[in-house]
Amino acid sequence: MSEPDARRPLANPGHPAAGGFGDDEPPSRPRRHPVWEHVPDAQWDDWRWQTQNSIRSVRQLRTLLRFSPEELEAIGRLEGDYKLAIPPYYFSLIDPDDPADPIRLQSVPSPLEAENPSGYELDDPLEEDKDSPVPGLTHRYPDRALLITTPNCSMYCRYCTRKRATLTRGGWEGVSADDERMIGYVRAHPEIRDVIVSGGDPLTLPIGKLRFYLESLKEIDHVDVIRVGTRVPVTLPQRLYDNELVDLLASAEKVYIQTHFNHPREVTPEAARVCKALLRGGMPINNHSVLLRGVNDDLATMRELLRGLLRIKVRPYYIFHCDPVTGAGHFRTSVWKGLEIMEGLRGHTSGIGIPTYVVDSPHGGGKIPMMPNYLVSMSDDAVVLRNYEGLLIRYQAEDKPGTIDGTATRGVSGLLQGDKTVLVPHDNERMARRKPRVVRDGCGGDGAADGGRPILPLPMLNGTGNGHAANG
Ligand SMILES: *Cc1c(COP(=O)(O)O)cnc(C)c1O
Ligand code: SF4
């Protein structure tokens, strides 16, 4: 093969989502840590090589990244608490000069894991084990079940909510009685329509065992959907260069892929390639991200991630608030941070790129969606809604005679009383873009509710003194 620089072009040179380290980075930088620069491409592209050469000890880490002596000592002490594995491919996404690098934070142990800042962190924060009728299966929601099929992952995320499961060793044997029991439970429960094959990461399973799960579930008539939850497209895409694996997934027919990108830099040409292969195989790909301090807890990063996902046709599905799992307290943000991000998405960017932000609640309460407030006030006749621009809008949901008493009043109350239909912030660009025009009854599109009154571009509307200007 030719030189690696030419062979590994960035999909979108200069764009960090394409795998560079930033805008000032030349697009030709090979995404390999220098220690692997001379590995032949055929090996680099082989998932077995990637797995065999994964970083699995602090002793290896210290030769590849800089640590302070205190840090090394602290993470050395943590080594037995949680598994460590980072494939060279994923490791190479780390900027070795940045101690706060977002890929590093996700994969490299930190001394902060020894802390339990709130005292509230738990080994099983979602109480999955309590909603487990047979070992490894969680039946929480009425029509879906989650199967923990393996304790193994290609990379162990430091904030993983299922550390208690991934901590188990083994998982490489053949089909066990536990596996049979999980399938038996699904078979015996016709209300289960959607089965999440999770772990660990099921794409680390020996292919025979994965085939057992997929073929068994495919044959159960009442199962409509098999969701394969995997981070392999992100952390070890080479695994999916293997057509046998892609074909096996496709042949189960009911498969949706549920993957887990957290940062725009993870959206590489390698990830794009395997997502394309999965999509070609007829498998929709949904993504969930975990909101992580220092990784993606700002609007710009999140927007870039969502945009990168749309480019490779991965549908953003959820943003999870980080669960209170032991050793991950330093990753947790406020809920306000998540709401701030959601506020910056809805209306501002493609709706198909907007995930639902959810808190997975204690006591096994499941996922609870969190949204900024769009419902501002309400009366018998109308609700007052606000849009992403801060427009406050009277919306009459039902066609019924009004009971407005005509009390002259201002602000939101004025909207409820029917004095006005909208309050517009004085710097609204969209209104400023409009030309003065007259809207006729019912046919004027967005001005129709005003019934033939002139809609003026904003500069001609002077404020009412409360920071809003009213039309009508
Ligand atoms: C998240 C989850 C599901 C799937 O939930 P959806 O909202 O349908 O994606 C099912 N079971 C468990 C235990 C889960 O945590
Ligand atoms: S891939 Fe999933 S199960 Fe595995 S460590 Fe990461 S979050 Fe946990």
Side-chain angles (χ1 to χ4, degrees):
M1 293 241 164
S2 58
E3 4 109 46
D5 288 17
R7 206 191 59 85
R8 309 172 70 79
L10 297 176
N12 182 12
H15 195 283
F21 290 133
D23 286 341
D24 44 1
E25 207 56 53
S28 60
R29 178 171 178 160
R31 276 162 300 96
R32 289 195 192 186
H33 187 285
V35 77
W36 296 298
E37 235 153 43
H38 303 294
V39 173
D41 291 337
Q43 284 193 340
W44 184 262
D45 289 343
D46 181 343
W47 65 274
R48 291 176 194 84
W49 183 89
Q50 290 282 341
T51 304
Q52 280 154 13
N53 288 277
S54 290
I55 307 306
R56 294 180 192 274
S57 70
V58 173
R59 192 176 44 77
Q60 285 170 292
L61 273 178
R62 65 184 303 170
T63 66
L64 301 168
L65 295 174
R66 277 194 294 277
F67 296 92
S68 72
E70 301 77 47
E71 234 181 320
L72 267 182
E73 207 227 324
I75 63 174
R77 266 187 276 118
L78 284 166
E79 211 163 0
D81 290 357
Y82 182 47
K83 287 190 214 169
L84 166 64
I86 316 172
Y89 160 80
Y90 193 71
F91 195 93
S92 295
L93 300 178
I94 297 174
D95 175 354
D97 298 324
D98 180 5
D101 179 87
I103 309 300
R104 175 174 179 161
L105 294 182
Q106 292 182 66
S107 57
V108 174
S110 151
L112 296 171
E113 290 173 28
E115 289 169 28
N116 212 2
S118 67
Y120 170 70
E121 289 79 10
L122 300 164
D123 289 338
D124 181 14
L126 309 180
E127 298 188 0
E128 290 181 328
D129 291 346
K130 291 189 186 165
D131 282 334
S132 187
V134 299
L137 182 148
T138 301
H139 189 181
R140 164 159 303 155
Y141 299 102
D143 66 346
R144 44 234 197 266
L146 183 145
L147 314 187
I148 295 183
T149 61
T150 170
N152 297 314
C153 294
S154 49
M155 189 284 278
Y156 293 95
C157 312
R158 306 313 301 176
Y159 53 84
C160 177
T161 199
R162 242 176 249 143
K163 281 183 181 171
R164 70 180 198 294
T166 55
L167 263 172
T168 329
R169 305 278 155 176
W172 288 96
E173 353 43 67
V175 175
S176 68
D178 278 353
D179 301 321
E180 302 273 12
R181 262 195 296 271
M182 288 195 269
I183 295 297
Y185 183 90
V186 174
R187 201 177 281 127
H189 287 261
E191 71 275 21
I192 297 176
R193 309 243 166 241
D194 177 355
V195 177
I196 296 125
V197 177
S198 184
D201 194 317
L203 297 194
T204 64
L205 283 170
I207 202 132
K209 194 156 167 176
L210 182 62
R211 180 174 292 117
F212 160 79
Y213 278 110
L214 296 177
E215 288 182 354
S216 308
L217 292 169
K218 179 186 175 186
E219 278 160 21
I220 302 174
D221 274 347
H222 60 261
V223 172
D224 301 331
V225 171
I226 305 169
R227 275 194 257 181
V228 174
T230 176
R231 219 183 168 197
V232 155
V234 183
T235 55
L236 183 64
Q238 292 77 12
R239 181 69 189 90
L240 284 160
Y241 291 180
D242 175 357
N243 292 333
E244 188 193 0
L245 178 58
V246 177
D247 291 347
L248 170 63
L249 291 163
S251 70
E253 287 168 18
K254 306 172 178 176
V255 170
Y256 284 61
I257 301 292
Q258 177 76 34
T259 192
H260 177 178
F261 288 86
N262 281 331
H263 191 274
R265 203 190 296 152
E266 295 169 342
V267 186
T268 62
E270 290 88 336
R273 166 177 164 182
V274 302
C275 288
K276 196 168 186 174
L278 293 165
L279 290 164
R280 266 210 198 107
M283 293 167 273
I285 312 173
N286 288 296
N287 185 70
H288 63 252
S289 300
V290 181
L291 181 60
L292 299 169
R293 183 185 295 277
V295 174
N296 57 16
D297 63 335
D298 67 276
L299 179 58
T301 305
M302 203 55 99
R303 272 204 198 163
E304 204 177 302
L305 169 64
L306 300 174
R307 190 171 168 202
L309 292 175
L310 285 187
R311 280 204 191 101
I312 63 168
K313 296 201 177 153
V314 171
R315 167 78 155 98
Y317 177 51
Y318 279 140
I319 294 176
F320 288 130
H321 194 77
C322 183
D323 293 327
V325 65
T326 308
H330 58 292
F331 281 114
R332 303 186 75 223
T333 67
S334 66
V335 164
W336 313 133
K337 181 49 77 178
L339 291 171
E340 177 192 341
I341 289 171
M342 295 313 293
E343 182 70 68
L345 298 177
R346 177 61 62 195
H348 299 275
T349 189
S350 308
I352 55 169
I354 302 179
T356 305
Y357 172 43
V358 293
V359 166
D360 215 329
S361 77
H363 311 296
K367 298 175 184 73
I368 299 177
M370 305 293 289
M371 259 215 299
N373 293 325
Y374 294 101
L375 176 61
V376 173
S377 194
M378 61 202 104
S379 70
D380 279 354
D381 300 311
V383 285
V384 175
L385 306 177
R386 72 147 176 105
N387 79 345
Y388 72 102
E389 302 167 307
L391 241 62
L392 294 173
I393 298 150
R394 174 189 170 85
Y395 186 75
Q396 204 148 321
E398 298 169 89
D399 293 328
K400 61 175 194 178
T403 53
I404 290 164
D405 67 4
T407 310
T409 181
R410 302 178 138 235
V412 171
S413 174
L415 293 175
L416 286 178
Q417 295 305 318
D419 288 358
K420 303 177 183 73
T421 61
V422 65
L423 292 172
V424 184
H426 62 77
D427 60 349
N428 186 285
E429 277 178 36
R430 187 170 54 84
M431 290 295 181
R433 231 170 19 231
R434 289 182 172 185
K435 293 196 171 65
R437 65 199 164 101
V438 172
V439 184
R440 310 225 174 275
D441 273 351
C443 59
D446 35 22
D450 265 353
R453 276 177 278 170
I455 303 279
L456 300 173
L458 226 75
M460 301 178 69
L461 289 169
N462 281 318
T464 53
N466 60 357
H468 288 91
N471 76 346

